[in-house]
Amino acid sequence: MRRPVLPTFAALAGLLLAPRVAAEEPRTSPTDQVSAPPLEAPAEVRVRGGEGLTVTSSDGRHRIGLRTRFVPRIDVAWTDAGEPPRTRVSISTARVWIRGHVFAPELQYVLQLAVAGRDFRDGATSPLFDAFVDWKLHRDVSVKVGQFFVPFDRLRTVREFALQMTDRPRPVLELTLDRDVGMTLYSDHLGADRSPLAYRLGVFGGGGTNRVAYRPAGVLVVGRVELRPLGEIDDDSEGDLQNRARPGLALGGGLAGNVNTDRLRSTTGPSFEGGTVDYLHGAADLTFKWRGFALQGEYLYKDALEDRIAFTDDDGANVEEWGRSGHGWVVQASYHLEPGIEVVGRTSRLYALPDTDPAFAAELAGKRSEVGAGLNWYRNGHRFKVQTTWIALFGHDLANASHTVSTQVDAMF
């Protein structure tokens, strides 16, 4: 009997082909397999009204934020002498912030640019306002390095966007210290986590902002202490927009010495041509908030230890330059009504010290006092608001005052 040919051939072909098929298949073991790296979690991107755009790394070690602000404004000014009114329509300020932290939330940075025309004060050639690193090193000692507000008095270090009135009080503009380049050691709770005591100790160049040329060597030294006996209070923002259920109180005082400055107002104003001046500064301030009511008070003192600089110019003429010495006070009160309406009033007075610049003393004879009132509407707190402010400057009475009414939209995105 003959055997079938086809089944036998098929079986042989299967045996021949089987090793080839097996050889083409990869032979792996659990130890030979290489696993793909895990996918990194995406960064967190957040957009919030008034806070701008924030990007945070997945591990939280790095963050960068972008925020903008601009202020369309109209001013109407007139005097009681019968002169025709004058108007000014402008973008009074335009700001860009870049801020965040690197490596850890304790190592923070801020860059603020001010690009509107009115931001370029004192012949500024750079839009740089703030540029600093802030290292939250320890509860009792943190370090800030760069260009920022000199930590001297409260009414100046309150940020521009957190003001209740469209302009700062005149004594603050004349007597206090502005931004400068330097370093500050500070603590908000000295000695304990809930301590009411805070301090700031700073050393700065003393020349203010936008100084790129060489000048006579000098230094600005400042010290400030703060006490919050009733607990935490947002004294870096004007008004009580939260209608606090518990009262809050902040007391502060500062001393500063600016040695060998060539700026007329210590850290601001035009530069002297014939020499330098040493300035001594003092400040005391108070902030109180409760149930929508807010009160701020401040006293400021500035003394040029050399009242006059006498020199001979290139043409051989005798020239005198004067420091500006004075003191003054500010009282500002407000009440916040729901929903988002606030009324505010302010009064201040500025005095010239004896033997100071005669032109400064004459200027104050006609405009030493200030009264003002304002009406504000808040849509997103200080980050989006509409403000109208009336301010009058006068000498002994309001009969010969100069008046300014300003209305602005302060918007932060």
Side-chain angles (χ1 to χ4, degrees):
M1 182 176 179
R2 299 177 63 182
R3 294 180 179 179
V5 177
L6 291 178
T8 303
F9 180 79
L12 179 60
L15 291 174
L16 294 173
L17 293 175
R20 292 182 181 181
V21 174
E24 292 174 359
E25 295 179 355
R27 296 181 179 180
T28 60
S29 65
T31 58
D32 295 332
Q33 294 179 356
V34 178
S35 60
L39 294 176
E40 184 177 350
E44 176 190 354
V45 179
R46 186 180 69 177
V47 178
R48 180 175 295 181
E51 297 184 7
L53 172 68
T54 304
V55 181
T56 307
S57 63
S58 58
D59 58 6
R61 297 177 64 234
H62 308 281
R63 173 178 293 175
I64 184 170
L66 176 65
R67 191 168 66 189
T68 59
R69 169 180 173 244
F70 65 90
V71 182
R73 170 169 168 165
I74 180 170
D75 300 287
V76 181
W78 72 95
T79 66
D80 290 332
E83 299 176 359
R86 296 166 292 125
T87 63
R88 177 175 58 189
V89 181
S90 65
I91 301 296
S92 65
T93 189
R95 308 288 176 90
V96 178
W97 282 274
I98 300 174
R99 58 190 306 159
H101 63 254
V102 290
F103 306 121
E106 293 77 21
L107 186 57
Q108 302 175 4
Y109 63 90
V110 172
L111 176 68
Q112 182 187 180
L113 305 178
V115 296
R118 291 184 63 192
D119 290 323
F120 281 66
R121 303 186 303 266
D122 299 334
T125 58
S126 168
L128 187 64
F129 264 35
D130 293 315
F132 62 84
V133 175
D134 191 355
W135 187 13
K136 311 291 185 181
L137 180 63
H138 186 270
R139 179 201 63 208
D140 295 336
V141 181
S142 293
V143 184
K144 183 185 289 189
V145 179
Q147 179 171 292
F148 49 91
F149 276 129
V150 176
F152 172 64
D153 69 305
R154 175 54 62 197
L155 290 184
R156 185 65 185 97
T157 56
V158 171
R159 291 288 178 173
E160 286 90 346
F161 70 84
L163 298 176
Q164 293 176 291
M165 303 185 77
T166 56
D167 292 288
R168 296 187 190 271
R170 190 151 181 253
V172 172
L173 297 175
E174 176 65 40
L175 301 174
T176 189
L177 296 162
D178 203 83
R179 290 177 172 89
D180 206 343
V181 180
M183 179 181 72
T184 293
L185 304 179
Y186 72 95
S187 170
D188 290 323
H189 300 281
L190 181 62
D193 290 341
R194 303 187 67 178
S195 168
L197 183 63
Y199 78 91
R200 282 93 171 94
L201 294 174
V203 179
F204 297 83
T209 61
N210 298 299
R211 306 306 298 271
V212 295
Y214 283 103
R215 68 180 188 90
V219 64
L220 167 62
V221 180
V222 60
R224 176 174 169 83
V225 293
E226 300 169 352
L227 182 66
R228 299 173 178 86
L230 303 181
E232 294 293 333
I233 176 176
D234 56 336
D235 51 336
D236 200 31
S237 177
E238 293 188 350
D240 183 19
L241 305 187
Q242 306 302 320
N243 291 58
R244 298 172 54 103
R246 297 180 56 186
L249 176 64
L251 305 172
L255 287 173
N258 197 357
V259 179
N260 235 27
T261 180
D262 63 346
R263 300 292 285 268
L264 179 65
R265 297 184 182 90
S266 192
T267 57
T268 61
S271 299
F272 295 122
E273 296 181 3
T276 62
V277 170
D278 297 340
Y279 275 112
L280 177 64
H281 296 262
D285 49 75
L286 171 150
T287 302
F288 177 80
K289 301 184 181 187
W290 190 31
R291 297 181 183 267
F293 173 75
L295 175 68
Q296 292 178 293
E298 182 163 297
Y299 174 78
L300 293 162
Y301 175 90
K302 180 181 71 174
D303 187 13
L305 301 186
E306 303 87 8
D307 292 307
R308 185 180 60 165
I309 303 171
F311 66 100
T312 302
D313 65 13
D314 295 337
D315 297 327
N318 294 326
V319 180
E320 289 184 338
E321 294 180 319
W322 293 79
R324 291 164 70 99
S325 300
H327 65 109
W329 52 265
V330 181
V331 176
Q332 183 169 305
S334 65
Y335 191 75
H336 180 244
L337 305 165
E338 296 293 348
I341 302 297
E342 179 187 63
V343 291
V344 56
R346 181 170 79 203
T347 182
S348 72
R349 181 164 290 187
L350 182 59
Y351 306 87
L353 290 180
D355 300 323
T356 190
D357 183 2
F360 178 51
E363 176 187 337
L364 294 187
K367 295 182 179 180
R368 72 164 56 121
S369 300
E370 174 194 36
V371 294
L375 179 65
N376 302 327
W377 174 72
Y378 296 95
R379 177 61 181 84
N380 186 22
H382 280 294
R383 299 179 187 272
F384 193 100
K385 59 190 176 183
V386 180
Q387 298 175 282
T388 295
T389 297
W390 162 73
I391 293 176
L393 299 176
F394 59 96
H396 298 286
D397 56 66
L398 273 169
N400 296 305
S402 61
H403 305 264
T404 304
V405 173
S406 305
T407 299
Q408 66 182 29
V409 178
D410 197 329
M412 186 179 295
F413 303 100

